[in-house]
Amino acid sequence: MAQIPFLDRRALMALMAKSGIGAGALAAGWPLLAASSWPRNIEANPRFTDDPFALGVASGDPAPDGFVIWTRLCPRPAEQHYGMPRQPMIVGWEVAPDEGFSTIVAKGEALASPELGHSVHVEVAGLSPDRVWFYRFRIAGQVSATGRSRTLPLPGARVDRLRFAVAGCQHYEHGHYTAWQHIAQEPVDFVFHYGDYIYETNEKGADTLTIQGNTFPRARKHNNDEPYSLDDYRQRYAQYKTDPHLQAAHAAAPFWMSLDDHEVDNDWADRWDQDGTPPEVFLYRRAAAFQAYYEHMPLRRAAMPDGSHMQMYRGARYGDLMSAFVLDTRQYRSDQIGEAEKLPGGDKLAPMTPAAYDPARTMMGDAQEQWLFNGLAKSDTRWNLIAHQVMLMHLVGRAQGGVKGYNMDRWSGYMHSRRRLLAHIDKACPGNVVTVSGDAHRHYAGDVVQDEGAPGAKPGKVITTEFLGTSVSSGDDGMGELNTPQQLADNPVLKATIDRRGYVLCDMGRDVLHADLKVIDRVSSPGGTVSTYASFAVERGHPGMHRA
């Protein structure tokens, strides 16, 4: 599927005018239908004894004149049908420049269909650029929580500062969402969620969990078994989204969402899962997982799944300061070494093999790679941000017994793709690319060079930098700096790492980007405190990071 890196809203409006579609239709939510075209079986007089907005509100994918606002009618999240009749309903929505809604600048009605879990995705448009907006939903006399979002600056506008958080990996059973509580209080322009919004695992109700040989109390428990069907995944998302801290973070700022593996199944890649399920069968599970993901995220209609495919890679431009590229490193990648080749690997440490350098192996797929390369080559902003899911640094690790190896689920298992990306960055936009990622459940901050750490390799030229955010809760409280000295000694490009929960907070100026590695002292119980483990600066035109 073709992908346009930056939405040309003016061209879209012109096309709508030629087609006889009014501007108001663009903000009418999905589907973009006149009221006369709505289903005939709409519930005309809905009534709720419980809060229909129990899963909160969210916004995302901002544009210069609007953004997506989301909610899902779900008054009883723990029940099979969520307390909802099997009929479509009409939900009202409003947008205002003030939190008190004294002046409503946009409003309308959207269809909440049972086919989409009574979720609502409204693509609001026609707003002024580069300012804060507030939104809410209404149905049957009940009003949702108020959400806060922000439109993008115009493409050519001067922007001096941009603040954003990087977070993800939020295993419900491993800990409380204290990180989201603190992110909700940060003055950020957006949040990049790098994936693992839910975890599909089921621990059979055990009271403890074991991580890297250490036993922790289980903070919370999933309320259903491992999901395979659409209803299974809906139940899992409903449980996660009842968390008040996660709701607060979504209501505080727009999100750029991406998915990794646990939204479907651990370590899945393209049409393969970790269990050897026939690909044609696994794709049915992937389709169910994708639909549930779409139903619960503030995504545009362009991301609506087509069977087992979702269009998730996309871009945005923040005036003249930054071009952002949100990648998808799951749908198009080759199977992991250790799965396809029956060698040690997957997400376990393994020695580098010739298979990792095979040109036929891809991380992004040809179409996405070309989209990214074209976008970077044409970019005229001061910075470029590549936001993706798994580690780009080629770091050596140590398994039990001190045996060195590399994680084949990361870019290290796709060295041909990695080399191509770094070579293109070095040629097209040297010195102004920063990458952010996650998945590893530790903070990692370091420089990215070609083949760093490879046997016999000499220290290479620094191409870019990477801030890999630790998890929100996955891994329980963590083990602090255990293994940190060894990892730093084994990997000269690595500047900091710690096994604690938290997030990355970035503050981008015109010439310097500052990044703080935020850590939470505990998530096994509520009330953890946040602190800054390490701070770094990256100077535009000088790839590489240094302590701030």
Side-chain angles (χ1 to χ4, degrees):
M1 181 183 295
Q3 174 73 3
I4 302 172
F6 303 108
L7 181 64
D8 186 347
R9 180 74 60 168
R10 187 174 300 170
L12 178 58
M13 296 296 287
L15 177 61
M16 291 173 65
K18 290 180 180 179
S19 303
I21 303 174
L26 189 62
W30 187 90
L32 296 179
L33 301 173
S36 60
S37 301
W38 282 349
R40 290 187 295 271
N41 63 332
I42 285 176
E43 172 57 63
N45 188 29
R47 296 181 180 180
F48 298 97
T49 57
D50 301 282
D51 180 9
F53 303 110
L55 302 189
V57 300
S59 72
D61 281 25
D65 70 337
F67 35 76
V68 178
I69 58 175
W70 169 93
T71 193
R72 179 189 167 204
L73 302 180
C74 187
R76 299 175 188 169
E79 292 187 5
Q80 182 178 8
H81 296 300
Y82 313 102
M84 292 295 296
R86 316 310 287 163
Q87 291 175 265
M89 294 185 177
I90 301 303
V91 180
W93 58 270
E94 300 169 329
V95 176
D98 64 297
E99 196 169 3
F101 288 85
S102 60
T103 302
I104 296 174
V105 298
K107 64 180 181 178
E109 295 181 324
L111 183 68
S113 168
E115 288 87 348
L116 288 175
H118 290 100
S119 62
V120 177
H121 300 76
V122 179
E123 298 189 17
V124 181
L127 305 178
S128 299
D130 197 20
R131 65 166 298 168
V132 171
W133 300 93
F134 298 90
Y135 62 93
R136 64 188 180 188
F137 297 90
R138 294 179 177 272
I139 189 171
Q142 302 211 40
V143 183
S144 73
T146 296
R148 178 183 184 276
S149 195
R150 188 180 186 100
T151 47
L152 300 185
L154 291 172
R158 179 184 173 95
V159 176
D160 293 323
R161 188 182 186 189
L162 189 62
R163 293 165 293 185
F164 57 95
V166 179
C169 292
Q170 51 195 56
H171 199 308
Y172 186 84
E173 295 188 316
H174 283 200
H176 295 270
Y177 290 169
T178 311
W180 287 125
Q181 178 184 11
H182 290 287
I183 290 173
Q185 299 167 3
E186 299 280 8
V188 296
D189 297 295
F190 69 89
V191 176
F192 169 59
H193 194 295
Y194 47 72
D196 291 348
Y197 196 95
I198 63 166
Y199 278 70
E200 86 295 355
T201 54
N202 177 43
E203 305 294 341
K204 306 297 183 184
D207 293 327
T208 60
L209 54 96
T210 301
I211 303 171
Q212 298 183 28
N214 294 274
T215 300
F216 298 92
R218 192 175 302 278
R220 304 183 284 189
K221 294 182 180 180
H222 286 146
N223 60 13
N224 65 337
D225 291 333
E226 182 171 350
Y228 284 88
S229 70
L230 175 57
D231 283 340
D232 293 341
Y233 282 105
R234 282 174 174 168
Q235 284 189 333
R236 185 61 55 92
Y237 278 102
Q239 182 177 21
Y240 277 57
K241 279 189 163 288
T242 56
D243 186 276
H245 299 319
L246 178 59
Q247 290 189 13
H250 273 300
F255 275 54
W256 287 100
M257 301 300 308
S258 66
L259 53 80
D260 196 25
D261 55 340
H262 287 289
E263 286 87 353
V264 183
D265 185 40
N266 180 51
D267 278 0
W268 73 273
D270 193 359
R271 59 188 184 275
W272 301 283
D273 71 358
Q274 64 178 349
D275 302 315
T277 303
E280 64 274 14
V281 176
F282 171 67
L283 289 178
Y284 281 104
R285 181 182 186 183
R286 199 177 95 175
F290 278 10
Q291 179 173 336
Y293 181 79
Y294 175 79
E295 289 175 355
H296 291 85
M297 300 302 145
L299 295 169
R300 293 186 178 272
R301 189 182 182 187
M304 181 179 290
D306 180 5
S308 61
H309 177 263
M310 282 186 76
Q311 183 61 51
M312 287 299 295
Y313 63 85
R314 60 213 190 278
R317 176 169 177 152
Y318 286 79
D320 69 345
L321 183 62
M322 185 188 79
S323 296
F325 302 87
V326 180
L327 303 188
D328 175 353
T329 59
R330 284 290 165 189
Q331 283 195 80
Y332 314 104
R333 67 155 75 183
S334 304
D335 199 4
Q336 292 98 336
I337 295 172
E339 302 293 340
E341 286 77 16
K342 308 303 178 186
L343 297 170
D347 64 352
K348 305 296 190 296
L349 293 177
M352 291 300 294
T353 70
Y357 297 88
D358 186 347
R361 291 181 56 76
T362 179
M363 176 62 93
M364 295 185 286
D366 292 343
Q368 181 178 195
E369 182 183 78
Q370 192 60 54
W371 164 81
L372 174 62
F373 286 9
N374 288 344
L376 290 172
K378 295 177 181 178
S379 174
D380 60 357
T381 51
R382 295 186 68 80
W383 294 94
N384 293 284
L385 178 73
I386 299 178
H388 57 116
Q389 292 71 45
V390 296
M391 182 183 287
L392 182 61
M393 287 182 285
H394 183 53
L395 301 186
V396 65
R398 290 180 183 255
Q400 289 185 346
V403 178
K404 293 183 178 181
Y406 297 84
N407 190 305
M408 295 293 106
D409 188 50
R410 303 171 185 168
W411 286 82
S412 292
Y414 304 81
M415 292 299 290
H416 181 73
S417 288
R418 184 181 184 278
R419 285 172 165 175
R420 285 175 56 84
L421 173 59
L422 296 184
H424 184 78
I425 291 173
D426 191 35
K427 177 181 178 181
C429 39
N432 70 355
V433 174
V434 173
T435 73
V436 292
S437 62
D439 181 66
H441 304 174
R442 291 181 68 106
H443 275 310
Y444 289 93
D447 297 332
V448 182
V449 306
Q450 288 281 25
D451 293 9
E452 63 264 44
K458 297 179 181 180
K461 177 183 178 181
V462 176
I463 306 297
T464 183
T465 56
E466 181 173 25
F467 295 101
L468 187 151
T470 186
S471 61
V472 166
S473 59
S474 303
D476 202 88
D477 291 336
M479 293 171 284
E481 293 186 314
L482 182 67
N483 299 327
T484 292
Q486 187 67 66
Q487 288 188 306
L488 293 175
D490 287 340
N491 299 281
V493 298
L494 185 60
K495 308 303 180 184
T497 181
I498 187 173
D499 181 7
R500 282 283 184 260
R501 312 290 65 84
Y503 54 98
V504 179
L505 185 64
C506 296
D507 191 337
M508 177 181 286
R510 294 187 69 80
D511 296 307
V512 180
L513 177 143
H514 290 95
D516 295 335
L517 308 185
K518 296 290 188 176
V519 293
I520 309 294
D521 64 341
R522 72 180 191 279
V523 297
S524 55
S525 61
T529 59
V530 65
S531 62
T532 300
Y533 173 67
S535 297
F536 294 93
V538 180
E539 298 178 18
R540 181 179 178 273
H542 302 279
M545 66 177 66
H546 58 82
R547 291 269 182 170

